[in-house]
Amino acid sequence: MADSTLISAPLAAPSSSLDERVRAEDLAARYRAEFVDLKNFKIQHELLRTVPVELMFRYNFVPIEQLPDALAIAVSDPSQLMVLDEIAGLLGQRIVARVATLSQITDLLKKTEQSQRVLDEASEGLTFDVLSGEENADENISIEKLTREEDISPIIRLVDTTIFTALERRASDIHIETQDDSVIVKYRIDGVLQMAMAPIAREHHSTILSRIKIMSELDIAERRVPQDGRFRVRYKGRLIDFRVSIMPTVHGENAVLRVLDKESMSEKFRNLTLDVVGFAEQDLRQFRRYIREPYGMVLVTGPTGSGKTTTLYAALNEIKSDEDKIITIEDPVEYQIRGITQIPVNEKKGLTFARGLRSILRHDPDKILVGEIRDQETAQIAINSALTGHLVFTTVHANNVLDVLGRFLNMGVEIYNFVSALNCILAQRLVRTICDHCARTVYYKDDDLIASGFDPAEWRSFGFREGTGCIECGGTGYRGRTAIHELLNLTDSIREMILEKKPTSEIRRLAQKEGMTFLRESAIDRVRNGLTTLKEINKVTFIEASR
């Protein structure tokens, strides 16, 4: 379930929240009304859209259920019968009052309806001119700005509110997709795309894209070739950058806005350690040993968006000191770490990974991070750096630790040098973690367990933890992500097998015999500990029929 009316935000309950709840329960008992806890209440979001937003804010109520002959609403004071009668008259149907705390009703209205209504109103207008709009690079975005009564263009309000809601819901990307009859807006939250709002009429497409192009200082007249740009907004006192990509399609242009909250992430990265990445205890102990080696190559692999950069930043944070010079070359430098020299790749100007890496070696580094190895030249320089006394951290795109070996051999690197340089290979994926606000225990049938590669005899009575979906998690049942890993320890026996070009299946069996935990086993361990769900690990890792 994904709905734009759900905005994830940390709870900030007042110290008197317990007293407020007690008073509300007393009122409910006194007036023989049902008490509802809206914190974990599953809201019918289509129902919210049927009630005028100004009425909900004026009378501080929220609709929670459509009964056959009445509408059930949550109010904080059921004693005000005149108000309930007025609401019933305005809505044209009988009202059944249920009681909730005022702060929960207020928070729910702010989090779920205010932004959505602005979006709905903005998508209704047909006569507006966005091309004359001026964009301040440090424009302040807040809910008060978006909802106050002003003569503001509906399309500006639509785009600004889409951005605001994305930030409130912790989205990493905003996708604007054009179809033959509508425009679809989606947010990527915890790695998964969710619908941000109801489809917008197709005629708004060109004005929405034009507004984004103006904000990003792109050519609004060019619609046939891809364009890349960026812009910045001020949100809750901090600057947030957006990287914009415009792509022409058969139905018109699509846009993807990548959210780069550098100030917030820089604050987090200042104290980032490997403890928060999600390692198993044994893997963490081994990985920490490898990142403290005097030289060699630490290789992290995984698909785009699997948290490789975060893991490497955490490793650098743990080992940086005034005695060592650490230099990175990245594409791009998304987050800045104090005490480390970071160089952005600029291929248009000729600064590639290979050229930058050669220059880095003349700057007397002790430790080097290469954002990604893409070609033979970069691979060869990185390997030579590891062999000549530098500790090199780098990433490569491969599905697992054993596929990395074939990837480097296909690049044409010298196998002996490559194996000699390697300290370890770490493969990583991200899995969504269960929302603590709506978690429950479920049991699976034997057929479901067998289909997931589980032994029913072992797992039949196991209580799997799952989220039902609530306001805090946007109805998904998940909030946040953690990593799963597999770490290949380059022992002498494994090095010899690689040099002899043995099949990866044989190397895998030997690694397993030596105690290596594979991605699937790491994922199952997260399920066993109640961090994620069976459905999530089946989506991220291959099901092993042999289990």
Side-chain angles (χ1 to χ4, degrees), residues 4 48 78 190 223 274 327 384-385 504:
S4 63
L48 282 172
D190 293 333
R223 300 180 181 179
L274 291 170
I327 306 180
N384 291 340
S385 303
T504 55

Side-chain angles (χ1 to χ4, degrees), residues 403-441:
D403 286 351
V404 171
L405 304 174
R407 182 76 189 272
F408 271 84
L409 295 180
N410 288 336
M411 285 184 189
V413 300
E414 173 58 48
I415 186 170
Y416 181 81
N417 288 341
F418 174 57
V419 172
S420 300
L422 270 181
N423 288 353
C424 70
I425 306 174
L426 176 75
Q428 179 169 311
R429 297 286 189 283
L430 293 178
V431 293
R432 290 181 293 173
T433 51
I434 298 163
C435 174
D436 289 328
H437 294 89
C438 60
R440 59 168 184 170
T441 301

Side-chain angles (χ1 to χ4, degrees), residues 429 431 484 519-520 523 536-543:
R429 297 286 189 283
V431 293
I484 58 174
L519 281 172
R520 180 68 177 180
E536 180 70 4
I537 69 164
N538 286 344
K539 188 180 77 171
V540 174
T541 63
F542 286 104
I543 297 171

Side-chain angles (χ1 to χ4, degrees), residues 98-132:
R98 295 177 183 168
V99 182
T101 63
L102 180 59
S103 62
Q104 282 189 352
I105 292 172
T106 304
D107 288 346
L108 182 63
L109 287 173
K110 285 182 179 178
K111 289 198 291 185
T112 65
E113 274 302 305
Q114 206 165 11
S115 296
Q116 177 61 26
R117 276 320 155 101
V118 177
L119 288 172
D120 291 343
E121 290 167 4
S123 64
E124 290 171 2
L126 290 175
T127 56
F128 42 70
D129 178 14
V130 301
L131 303 185
S132 61

Side-chain angles (χ1 to χ4, degrees), residues 215-429:
M215 295 172 73
S216 311
E217 298 183 347
L218 300 177
D219 184 358
I220 62 172
E222 181 56 75
R223 300 180 181 179
R224 295 163 296 178
V225 297
Q227 295 190 71
D228 295 312
R230 57 177 58 234
F231 64 90
R232 172 181 289 178
V233 299
R234 188 177 297 277
Y235 164 75
K236 293 185 176 178
R238 65 179 189 268
L239 294 174
I240 297 179
D241 291 311
F242 286 80
R243 199 167 63 217
V244 179
S245 175
I246 309 288
M247 181 71 69
T249 72
V250 290
H251 296 302
E253 290 177 302
N254 284 5
V256 175
L257 286 64
R258 165 65 60 90
V259 182
L260 299 174
D261 190 355
K262 292 185 179 181
E263 290 187 23
S264 174
M265 291 307 297
S266 294
E267 184 66 32
K268 293 176 184 176
F269 277 38
R270 192 168 296 132
N271 303 311
L272 181 68
T273 66
L274 291 170
D275 291 313
V276 301
V277 174
F279 278 96
E281 187 176 341
Q282 179 184 350
D283 289 342
L284 178 59
R285 188 168 54 250
Q286 287 184 329
F287 191 63
R288 276 189 166 137
R289 188 177 84 242
Y290 294 129
I291 67 173
R292 286 178 169 84
E293 297 284 1
Y295 56 86
M297 180 183 287
V298 174
L299 197 55
V300 180
T301 185
T304 302
S306 60
K308 300 187 297 295
T309 302
T310 301
T311 298
L312 288 177
Y313 278 177
L316 291 179
N317 237 358
E318 288 201 0
I319 64 172
K320 70 178 182 180
S321 71
D322 293 336
E323 298 176 353
D324 292 329
K325 180 158 188 176
I326 302 176
I327 306 180
T328 77
I329 180 162
E330 306 167 60
D331 184 20
V333 177
E334 293 190 359
Y335 307 115
Q336 298 174 21
I337 305 177
R338 185 179 295 274
I340 293 177
T341 302
Q342 295 173 275
I343 302 168
V345 165
N346 189 339
E347 295 194 358
K348 290 182 180 178
K349 300 294 184 180
L351 179 54
T352 61
F353 275 114
R355 184 173 179 181
L357 188 49
R358 279 196 297 268
S359 298
I360 285 172
L361 293 173
R362 294 193 287 271
H363 269 253
D364 188 29
D366 297 287
K367 299 172 176 63
I368 303 168
L369 185 150
V370 183
E372 183 184 345
I373 289 181
R374 299 173 179 172
D375 53 57
Q376 180 186 0
E377 187 181 8
T378 308
Q380 199 64 59
I381 300 171
I383 290 168
N384 291 340
S385 303
L387 291 172
T388 54
H390 302 91
L391 184 61
V392 179
F393 297 87
T394 188
T395 73
V396 67
H397 285 119
N399 289 323
N400 54 56
V401 292
L402 298 175
D403 286 351
V404 171
L405 304 174
R407 182 76 189 272
F408 271 84
L409 295 180
N410 288 336
M411 285 184 189
V413 300
E414 173 58 48
I415 186 170
Y416 181 81
N417 288 341
F418 174 57
V419 172
S420 300
L422 270 181
N423 288 353
C424 70
I425 306 174
L426 176 75
Q428 179 169 311
R429 297 286 189 283

